[in-house]
Amino acid sequence: MRVLIIGVGTRGDVAPYTGLGARLREAGHEVTIAAHEPYAELVTDADLKYLPLPGDPLTALTGRLSISAFKQYSEHLTEGLAGLAGQDADLLLLGVAGALGCHLAEAMGVPSMGVHLQPIDPTGDFPPVTSLFHGSLGRWGNRRAARLAFELPAAGPLISGLGTRMRARLGLPPMSPRAVYRRRESTRWPVFHGISPLVLPRPADWRPGLEITGYWWPPRPRDWQPDPVLLGFLASGPPPVFVGFGSLAETRAEQYTELAVQALRRAGLRGVLQTGVRGQLSDDVLAVGEVPHDWLFPRLAAVAHHCGAGTTGIGVRAGVPAVAVPVMNDQPFWASRLTALGVAPAAIPFRRLTPVRLAAALTAAVTDPVHRQRARSLAAGISAEDGAAPVVEAVNRLQVTRAG
């Protein structure tokens, strides 16, 4: 089948889809990923076809866009997605941020499936993970809040304001957000979640068709080799800890780097930083650029990160303790899961991060044997999972059905 994955988002959103796409390609399918241009190389390095989407959401997420500029970005994204209607595809796979693709699939006359990195469907187990609610609203309240996020005309996972423009652009009849949601539920639209069930058990009150399969691991960049400086640093002393803040690091690199260096000094730990600068900062601190986390993390004593979905997955796969420093969106949810699983001490919201707090958390992660034991046990279970297999099987079944 010709499979088109809509990979709207930043690097952490696109990377898991390259892993899923590679598995689909190995199964004989022709896979294309539509993503923003800064992440084109992630796709092509995985030997997948690439289609560009306009804009870069990173500037919006880091607060560097005005409201008018964000509106412009959204309109460009809508146009870019609508422009994919002319592509040859038999199936669309849609992430949470690519939910507008449901209208695109309708216009193209092809089926679609969800491939989500966040659990947005209503459940009593937790409130909406991408909302401002980080505490339980009670089982009824949790479910109601999540459903409203789909149905309200001004917001939600279906980006309904953009959906109205999208449908008009594609020549489709108007449809309210509530009607879109009801169609989604009445057809039991399939959604596969690239999350380990050991990290997030499937909610018992989810409807059929919503599955948690296991992580989708991105392939390493083609011909990648570790920098000799990094190899030398790792070999020059006890395992260091990692400190990185994801895409946010680029906005205030010097400030975040200094905070991390002070914390390492207080804790008496060696460190590898991914905070937006590069170079040997001292005998005990090395700042690096892009390094595959699946290679780096298992070589460390602990990893402190922003708890993006992808980084969280690679962190628990590595079998080392974590320090959760969530910033926004779904990150507080993943931070709470790391703490609940016992692989991390209490999370530190990024707005409250100080050298003292980070040093204390790093010390706890490194010295508490419980965190390390639970991290190793969790990693052993995750290593036995094949998160891509259920998606590949579903696509194969669809191919047989359509052929018949």
Side-chain angles (χ1 to χ4, degrees):
M1 294 188 75
R2 296 167 297 182
V3 180
L4 174 57
I5 302 175
I6 307 297
V8 176
T10 59
R11 174 176 292 272
D13 300 298
V14 177
Y17 296 136
T18 66
L20 179 60
R23 287 290 301 278
L24 287 167
R25 186 197 65 233
E26 291 168 4
H29 302 288
E30 181 182 307
V31 182
T32 302
I33 297 182
H36 294 290
E37 293 187 28
Y39 315 109
E41 192 172 346
L42 284 176
V43 179
T44 56
D45 269 352
D47 293 324
L48 303 173
K49 295 183 178 180
Y50 168 74
L51 286 174
L53 291 176
D56 181 358
L58 178 58
T59 50
L61 291 174
T62 54
R64 289 178 286 176
L65 284 181
S66 65
I67 294 177
S68 62
F70 182 80
K71 180 181 178 182
Q72 184 181 50
Y73 160 77
S74 300
E75 291 173 349
H76 286 170
L77 174 61
T78 303
E79 285 296 311
L81 289 172
L84 298 177
Q87 296 294 321
D88 291 328
D90 302 308
L91 171 66
L92 267 58
L93 298 182
L94 313 175
V96 171
L100 287 173
C102 68
H103 309 299
L104 177 62
E106 181 181 345
M108 296 172 71
V110 301
S112 65
M113 300 177 184
V115 284
H116 289 183
L117 305 177
Q118 298 85 15
I120 63 171
D121 283 87
T123 175
D125 290 1
F126 44 80
V129 302
T130 56
S131 75
L132 297 177
F133 302 112
H134 299 319
S136 177
L137 304 172
R139 296 197 64 83
W140 182 89
N142 289 342
R143 288 188 57 83
R144 186 58 183 159
R147 180 158 179 167
L148 286 174
F150 281 95
E151 295 183 345
L152 286 176
L158 295 181
I159 320 175
S160 55
L162 298 181
T164 299
R165 292 195 291 275
M166 182 80 161
R167 295 186 67 82
R169 171 68 173 75
L170 293 169
L172 297 173
M175 180 177 282
S176 70
R178 180 169 294 179
V180 173
Y181 177 71
R182 286 178 175 174
R183 180 177 67 180
R184 179 188 193 273
E185 295 305 286
S186 65
T187 60
R188 291 187 173 179
W189 188 63
V191 182
F192 300 93
H193 295 80
I195 307 161
S196 170
L198 297 176
V199 173
L200 180 68
R202 183 187 184 278
D205 58 355
W206 268 3
R207 63 162 172 83
L210 304 176
E211 303 299 337
I212 292 180
T213 67
Y215 289 108
W216 306 320
W217 306 117
R220 288 185 189 167
R222 184 185 302 141
D223 301 324
W224 181 84
Q225 294 293 328
D227 188 322
V229 174
L230 175 56
L231 287 174
F233 180 79
L234 293 173
S236 66
V241 298
F242 171 88
V243 180
F245 304 125
S247 301
L248 182 71
E250 300 296 330
T251 60
R252 298 179 182 177
E254 298 295 336
Q255 176 183 341
Y256 299 150
T257 299
E258 179 59 26
L259 187 156
V261 169
Q262 289 184 30
L264 291 171
R265 287 173 180 165
R266 284 179 173 272
L269 295 170
R270 303 172 74 231
V272 174
L273 307 186
Q274 204 170 51
T275 51
V277 303
R278 298 188 186 189
Q280 186 94 33
L281 305 184
S282 71
D283 290 343
D284 292 329
V285 182
L286 178 67
V288 299
E290 291 297 331
V291 178
H293 287 168
D294 71 310
W295 179 89
L296 178 61
F297 284 3
R299 292 167 165 79
L300 305 176
V303 292
H305 58 80
H306 64 303
C307 296
T311 307
T312 298
I314 293 176
V316 293
R317 183 192 191 189
V320 297
V323 170
V325 188
V327 184
M328 64 181 80
N329 298 331
D330 58 324
Q331 295 166 10
F333 176 77
W334 298 121
S336 71
R337 292 305 305 149
L338 292 177
T339 301
L341 291 165
V343 302
I348 311 171
F350 190 80
R351 66 183 182 278
R352 297 179 55 204
L353 188 64
T354 65
V356 173
R357 286 175 175 149
L358 181 56
L362 286 170
T363 299
V366 170
T367 59
D368 188 338
V370 173
H371 293 318
R372 181 162 298 279
Q373 291 165 4
R374 291 186 177 175
R376 288 175 175 169
S377 176
L378 181 61
I382 288 174
S383 67
E385 297 173 349
D386 185 354
V391 185
V392 173
E393 291 168 4
V395 175
N396 288 344
R397 286 196 302 269
L398 181 62
Q399 182 180 35
V400 171
T401 300
R402 289 172 66 86

